[in-house]
Amino acid sequence: MGITSHDVARLAGVSQPTVSRALRDDPRVSMATREKVKRAAQALNYVPSEAGRTLSTRATRRVGVIVTDLTNPFYPHVIAPLHDELSSLGYRMMLITERSDEAVAEEKLLDQSMDGVVLATATTDSRLPAQLERRGMPYVFLNRDTGRAGDFASVVDNEGGGRLVARELVALGHRRIAGVFGAANTTTGREREMGFRLALAEAGVGLPEDRVVRGAFEYDTGYRALPVLLDAAEAPTAVFCGNDVVAIGVLNAALAAGVKVPDDLTVIGFDDLPMAAWEVFRLTTVRHDLQELSRQAARLLVRRIAKEVDPAGERLVLPTEFVPRATHAHAR
Amino acid sequence: MGITSHDVARLAGVSQPTVSRALRDDPRVSMATREKVKRAAQALNYVPSEAGRTLSTRATRRVGVIVTDLTNPFYPHVIAPLHDELSSLGYRMMLITERSDEAVAEEKLLDQSMDGVVLATATTDSRLPAQLERRGMPYVFLNRDTGRAGDFASVVDNEGGGRLVARELVALGHRRIAGVFGAANTTTGREREMGFRLALAEAGVGLPEDRVVRGAFEYDTGYRALPVLLDAAEAPTAVFCGNDVVAIGVLNAALAAGVKVPDDLTVIGFDDLPMAAWEVFRLTTVRHDLQELSRQAARLLVRRIAKEVDPAGERLVLPTEFVPRATHAHAR
DNA sequence: TCATGGAATACATACGTATTCACAAGTGAA
DNA sequence: TTCACTTGTGAATACGTATGTATTCCATGA
């Protein structure tokens, strides 16, 4: 069935090691032999076996990417550039979408079937990083990290982004403000909330608990949050959402409830997904470079695999920018 | 670094082959030894090396999934259930997103690094299937196929779906009808168009070329198609779109152009993505079971890998259903 | 007592590549 | 002519697991 380097060697009239060297352009093999071997390989349609190479070199040129929910519109925009960057660095991508840490770690990550791992949906209480650490498996965080020192992570200036939004809302005259923040066990959720709260506090604007909702970064979180917020003692005139997907949930709920955006309610997102620019939304949001975020993570992981990395950890932080569109207005 | 079965063998006081057999519960190993080995493996945190196993068994328990554009909202809804079904069948997923066939085939698919391939974005003119065939690499089509006999494919009754839409539009009194169909080199594009055209013809309704646009199954295709269609000699009162993503492009373009849906224009999609049900769209569309489509493909591939498959090809076709929401109305 | 057969385990080896080391042939200098 | 050195290639082996075959041990029956 499979053609091996031995078959090529036989046809070319050389030894198997020479085939191995010739095809990788090892300078120790003479030009003449190299050509001869390559012609033989070509003739046989030889493709080196990945398994054999892996066993011999102890490198798989494969990287795992862990994501909880792929159908969340956010992740494809992370995974696509991640794939492309990894690919151009000579690595392939194994996609792993799992709910629970444990099974993944034992079965799939520790059997030496990949050289490293990208954690795209880490929570601060996950035990996975520690397990990877213990096994010496290189890994990096993408978008979210643990918030602890020593992480290798490609992240966004979430706190700065939260501040940006708070200042804009205050400048627009909003005082009854609400937040639909991300889950408390994610750094993205916590940091955006933190920056937002700090900047509000600096401006002397309060954020009472009945105008705060927290939940997963999902459509439903936003969709279900709006009615709750409208029920608050003092209904908000503006809502800052943990990310665009949540904001889109809020916008849809607003439409269902007959709440006019931005006249009755200002809605702000975070991420600036392509979808946010769609006519039906024209969502005012906070932009960061999602592609670069992913590419950076890929490069960081590859450097970590090569051990060309600061042992004390590296945290690459991308800046944010306020993107005004059509879902914000002055407070009435 | 890595713990091997030899280490376990030494600790347990048995030979390496006995470790291999004991851990896989080979009945030839006595209960007592099995327990002893398992305790030793546990103590050393032993995880069998994937590469060694692959080399020895010639099976990788890995499957490749090829998709062109992951950021297209359609694909995540295919890939997520595909991943889960493959996972429950004991296979892992390698994600490959490439534009051009050739490089992929040579480098990544034929090096024995996976047991099979799912083609999710095949075009009718792709040379990839033939290459896979020649190498004896098992593969199945998902959603799209080549339309030729002998395919192994999990697909939707596209023609039937197209017919459903045509009949509904005609019943609603529409006579000036338009189509934004998928690319001509995809079976999904062709078959939906074919069914639609046939049913229109049966009803004596024409579909002139200036009310037809074809393009990739992308948002932009729909967004850019609407102005073109509105420029037709007789502007349409209804548009059938190749899929939901295209329809959503049309809906956004309609909003931008001030065209009221459904009063001025009826818009129909295909797929019934979760997004289609969002309040901002409430898209009337054609539903099929996207999850089952993916699961079926996974199971079919696994059967093909195990050679438990009809050598003449197997084409699993899922039914469609019309889903009336809020983007259709009677013709004025 | 010894051959027979079954159970349990060990030995040897295959899988395909890459690498270390040894070796042969050729080159140039002393 | 000999020696040191370079260049090019092959032999042997490592990588970690699984499997076909041989071996050992023990119980059984004549």
Side-chain angles (χ1 to χ4, degrees):
Chain A
M1 199 75 209
I3 312 280
T4 76
S5 53
H6 289 92
D7 300 322
V8 177
R10 205 170 310 125
L11 179 62
V14 298
S15 70
Q16 177 271 325
T18 299
V19 171
S20 170
R21 288 191 267 252
L23 293 181
R24 283 172 306 123
D25 284 318
D26 189 310
R28 291 179 302 173
V29 177
S30 71
M31 273 301 184
T33 336
R34 246 187 272 184
E35 286 308 316
K36 193 170 54 176
V37 169
K38 284 181 178 176
R39 272 199 304 277
Q42 187 83 22
L44 295 175
N45 268 317
Y46 168 70
V47 180
S49 150
E50 223 264 327
R53 172 181 295 151
T54 292
L55 198 54
S56 187
T57 62
R58 305 154 140 258
T60 63
R61 310 294 292 181
R62 236 177 282 137
V63 157
V65 176
I66 305 191
V67 166
T68 48
D69 181 15
L70 201 59
T71 64
N72 185 319
F74 176 76
Y75 291 109
H77 294 285
V78 167
I79 292 179
L82 191 59
H83 173 283
D84 292 350
E85 186 72 16
L86 285 171
S87 179
S88 81
L89 291 167
Y91 284 81
R92 307 195 215 176
M93 185 165 128
M94 312 226 21
L95 191 62
I96 304 175
T97 78
E98 292 286 343
R99 330 286 170 253
S100 64
D101 275 12
E102 320 307 327
V104 186
E106 288 305 317
E107 294 276 322
K108 303 190 171 173
L109 300 183
L110 303 176
D111 64 355
Q112 315 281 4
S113 66
M114 26 204 161
D115 298 341
V117 178
V118 177
L119 301 176
T121 45
T123 55
T124 51
D125 48 7
S126 168
R127 289 166 39 191
L128 195 47
Q131 296 198 45
L132 295 173
E133 199 72 65
R134 186 147 38 85
R135 290 291 192 138
M137 166 73 78
Y139 66 94
V140 302
F141 294 99
L142 172 49
N143 188 40
R144 302 178 188 174
D145 61 356
T146 67
R148 288 186 279 274
D151 282 351
F152 293 85
S154 173
V155 293
V156 168
D157 178 13
N158 293 305
E159 193 174 319
R163 283 177 183 277
L164 281 181
V165 174
R167 290 205 201 100
E168 290 286 344
L169 292 182
V170 169
L172 287 167
H174 291 282
R175 293 299 175 267
R176 299 205 311 273
I177 292 179
V180 185
F181 301 115
N185 64 353
T186 63
T187 51
T188 40
R190 288 215 285 234
E191 292 167 4
R192 287 169 200 177
E193 177 172 353
M194 179 65 66
F196 189 65
R197 280 182 181 280
L198 288 177
L200 282 189
E202 282 166 16
V205 176
L207 186 60
E209 270 307 303
D210 67 346
R211 288 206 296 265
V212 170
V213 173
R214 288 187 197 82
F217 285 108
E218 294 167 3
Y219 177 91
D220 268 0
T221 299
Y223 196 87
R224 286 203 288 253
L226 185 66
V228 174
L229 297 178
L230 294 180
D231 262 4
E234 290 183 309
T237 62
V239 192
F240 172 43
C241 301
N243 75 0
D244 284 356
V245 176
V246 171
I248 283 170
V250 168
L251 290 179
N252 277 283
L255 194 61
V259 174
K260 287 198 171 172
V261 176
D263 299 345
D264 298 343
L265 185 70
T266 283
V267 177
I268 316 282
F270 202 109
D271 286 338
D272 195 26
L273 300 183
M275 200 182 280
W278 287 358
E279 291 293 328
V280 292
F281 302 126
R282 307 212 58 215
L283 178 66
T284 296
T285 187
V286 175
R287 173 183 299 156
H288 53 90
D289 191 338
L290 208 42
Q291 295 229 346
E292 182 56 21
L293 186 72
S294 307
R295 290 206 207 94
Q296 213 171 57
R299 292 193 296 263
L300 180 59
L301 178 58
V302 170
R303 280 202 292 119
R304 194 172 179 196
I305 290 170
K307 302 193 191 305
E308 296 167 353
V309 97
D310 184 341
E314 289 191 37
R315 198 178 147 89
L316 310 175
V317 184
L318 289 177
T320 57
E321 175 193 359
F322 189 76
V323 180
R325 288 207 186 92
T327 58
H328 69 286
H330 281 275
R332 285 166 314 177
Chain B
M1 200 75 209
I3 312 278
T4 76
S5 54
H6 289 93
D7 300 323
V8 177
R10 205 170 309 124
L11 180 61
V14 298
S15 72
Q16 178 271 324
T18 298
V19 171
S20 170
R21 288 192 258 255
L23 294 180
R24 283 172 306 123
D25 284 320
D26 189 309
R28 291 182 301 173
V29 177
S30 71
M31 273 302 184
T33 335
R34 245 187 272 182
E35 286 308 314
K36 193 171 53 178
V37 169
K38 284 180 180 176
R39 271 198 304 277
Q42 187 82 22
L44 294 175
N45 267 317
Y46 168 69
V47 180
S49 150
E50 222 264 326
R53 171 181 294 151
T54 292
L55 198 55
S56 187
T57 62
R58 308 157 134 250
T60 62
R61 309 292 295 182
R62 237 177 280 137
V63 157
V65 175
I66 305 191
V67 167
T68 48
D69 181 15
L70 202 59
T71 64
N72 184 320
F74 176 75
Y75 291 109
H77 294 285
V78 166
I79 292 178
L82 192 59
H83 174 281
D84 291 351
E85 187 71 16
L86 284 172
S87 180
S88 80
L89 290 166
Y91 284 81
R92 308 195 214 177
M93 186 166 128
M94 312 223 26
L95 191 62
I96 304 175
T97 77
E98 292 286 342
R99 330 285 168 255
S100 66
D101 275 11
E102 321 308 327
V104 186
E106 288 307 316
E107 294 276 322
K108 302 190 173 173
L109 299 183
L110 304 176
D111 65 355
Q112 314 283 4
S113 66
M114 28 204 157
D115 297 342
V117 178
V118 176
L119 301 176
T121 46
T123 56
T124 52
D125 47 6
S126 168
R127 288 167 39 192
L128 193 47
Q131 296 199 44
L132 296 174
E133 200 72 63
R134 186 148 36 83
R135 292 291 192 138
M137 167 74 79
Y139 65 95
V140 302
F141 294 101
L142 172 48
N143 188 40
R144 300 179 189 174
D145 60 356
T146 67
R148 286 186 281 275
D151 281 352
F152 292 86
S154 174
V155 294
V156 169
D157 178 13
N158 292 306
E159 192 176 317
R163 282 175 183 276
L164 281 181
V165 174
R167 291 205 200 100
E168 291 286 344
L169 292 182
V170 170
L172 287 167
H174 292 281
R175 293 300 175 265
R176 299 207 309 275
I177 293 177
V180 185
F181 301 115
N185 65 352
T186 62
T187 51
T188 40
R190 288 215 286 235
E191 293 169 2
R192 286 169 200 177
E193 177 173 353
M194 179 65 66
F196 189 65
R197 279 182 182 280
L198 287 176
L200 282 189
E202 281 166 17
V205 176
L207 187 60
E209 270 307 303
D210 68 345
R211 288 207 297 266
V212 170
V213 173
R214 287 188 197 80
F217 286 107
E218 293 167 2
Y219 177 91
D220 269 359
T221 299
Y223 195 88
R224 285 203 289 253
L226 186 66
V228 174
L229 296 178
L230 294 179
D231 262 4
E234 291 182 308
T237 62
V239 193
F240 172 42
C241 300
N243 75 1
D244 284 355
V245 176
V246 171
I248 283 170
V250 168
L251 290 179
N252 278 283
L255 195 61
V259 174
K260 285 199 173 172
V261 175
D263 299 346
D264 299 343
L265 186 70
T266 284
V267 177
I268 316 280
F270 202 110
D271 285 339
D272 194 26
L273 299 183
M275 200 182 277
W278 287 357
E279 292 292 328
V280 290
F281 302 124
R282 305 213 57 216
L283 177 66
T284 296
T285 187
V286 175
R287 173 183 299 155
H288 53 88
D289 190 338
L290 208 42
Q291 295 227 346
E292 182 56 22
L293 185 72
S294 307
R295 290 205 207 98
Q296 215 170 56
R299 291 192 297 262
L300 180 59
L301 178 58
V302 170
R303 281 200 293 121
R304 194 172 180 196
I305 290 170
K307 301 193 194 304
E308 297 168 352
V309 98
D310 184 341
E314 289 191 38
R315 197 178 147 90
L316 310 175
V317 183
L318 288 177
T320 57
E321 175 194 0
F322 189 76
V323 180
R325 287 207 186 92
T327 59
H328 69 288
H330 281 274
R332 285 167 312 177

